[in-house]
Amino acid sequence: MGSAAPSASLPARLWTYQSERFPLGKTALLCAIFSSASVSVSAHLAERAPPSLWAYGAAFMVTLAFFFQLRVLDEIKDKEDDAKFRPERPIPRGLVRLETIIWLGVGSVFVALGVAAAVDTGLLALLGVAWGWLTLMSFEFFVRDWLKSHAFLYLVSHMAIMPLIDLVVTGFEWVRFGAPAGAMVFFLLLSFTNGCVLEIGRKLWAPVSEREGVNTYSKLLGPRTGAMMWLTCVAVSLGLLVAVGFATRTPLVTGAIGALAALFVLRTALSYRADPTPERATKVEDAAGIWVFACYAAAGFAPFTRMLLA
């Protein structure tokens, strides 16, 4: 937990907020890999030269804005639950006001609009689609109680935002050509399953860590079944990664990177499944991030090895 008190300056309090709820260093690194891989994959699938560095930089800024907006959305959706069950979080403990975070989220919308329009105004329609889904998510699709009682439908409805974000990000490469390559569907599905890997991975807890009012997959399914569900998502992601590798004509390099990462994830999952301690639960969440990092690195950058050897 950060050290800034509610009486500290706003910049100091926001710095503490980001360290607890939106760690910029870690998030920026993940966004950089995600966005640059997405832009590169779009070019590789269509057998075009990569776009300018400006397109990569703009895609990164929009990706970071999207991920921050997801955090803001969570703060809004979880306001009541946080106040009741998680009072130590920055907003319920009074470190920052929810309204302040919302205004920062609104500001990130205008940043994304400006950056996207500077690249190609065709991106604005894609942004509208993604933000439309985000808006529905903010209202829990107007069936909050029903959706929360159906955990897997909740997961699917919320993780659908990931391929929509990726459609925007890949659009920084393909939108000026009119449409993405047909094989893009594999990459968009990979984004969906990787979203599930991250979401499930961060909600596999140790039994002693479970808390009232916090829904986790380890509580819903039990650690053993939850670990297997997580591994299933990783296996599907690996299959989609290999499909992307075939589409970019680098199945061996892409598949090899994916297989090595999958072995690491398998070891972590089996360790947690055998003895779900808090330390091993933390390793599961870390492994989820490593898996996603490896996936996008393989999909986006393995094709460059073919180009270098050509």
Side-chain angles (χ1 to χ4, degrees), residues 32-70:
I33 293 294
F34 175 81
S35 61
S36 58
S38 297
V39 171
S40 296
V41 164
S42 181
H44 295 317
L45 290 174
E47 298 189 343
R48 291 189 288 260
S52 67
L53 289 177
W54 163 236
Y56 280 94
F60 165 73
M61 287 187 280
V62 169
T63 301
L64 190 61
F66 265 122
F67 276 72
F68 180 64
Q69 290 156 22
L70 286 170

Side-chain angles (χ1 to χ4, degrees), residues 10 13-14 68 96-105:
L10 180 59
R13 287 183 281 124
L14 288 175
F68 180 64
V96 292
R97 297 175 61 204
L98 177 60
E99 291 78 6
T100 301
I101 301 304
I102 291 174
W103 277 115
L104 288 174

Side-chain angles (χ1 to χ4, degrees), residues 204 223 227-228 230-232 234-235 238 258-277 279-288 290-291:
L204 289 178
M228 295 311 297
W230 184 57
L231 279 177
T232 299
V234 171
L238 178 59
L260 287 173
L263 287 173
F264 172 75
V265 168
L266 176 63
R267 180 180 177 183
T268 304
L270 293 180
S271 175
Y272 166 81
R273 189 172 185 268
D275 185 14
T277 64
E279 294 77 17
R280 292 183 179 186
T282 298
K283 289 182 178 179
V284 166
E285 183 175 1
D286 292 342
I290 291 170
W291 167 257

Side-chain angles (χ1 to χ4, degrees), residues 209-271:
S209 302
E210 301 287 4
R211 298 176 61 179
E212 182 185 0
V214 181
N215 295 320
T216 65
Y217 293 99
S218 48
K219 180 189 295 184
L220 177 67
L221 302 171
R224 293 174 64 85
T225 304
M228 295 311 297
M229 178 184 175
W230 184 57
L231 279 177
T232 299
C233 290
V234 171
V236 174
S237 290
L238 178 59
L240 290 167
L241 176 63
V242 172
V244 172
F246 274 104
T248 57
R249 295 190 290 160
T250 53
L252 294 180
V253 176
T254 303
I257 295 172
L260 287 173
L263 287 173
F264 172 75
V265 168
L266 176 63
R267 180 180 177 183
T268 304
L270 293 180
S271 175

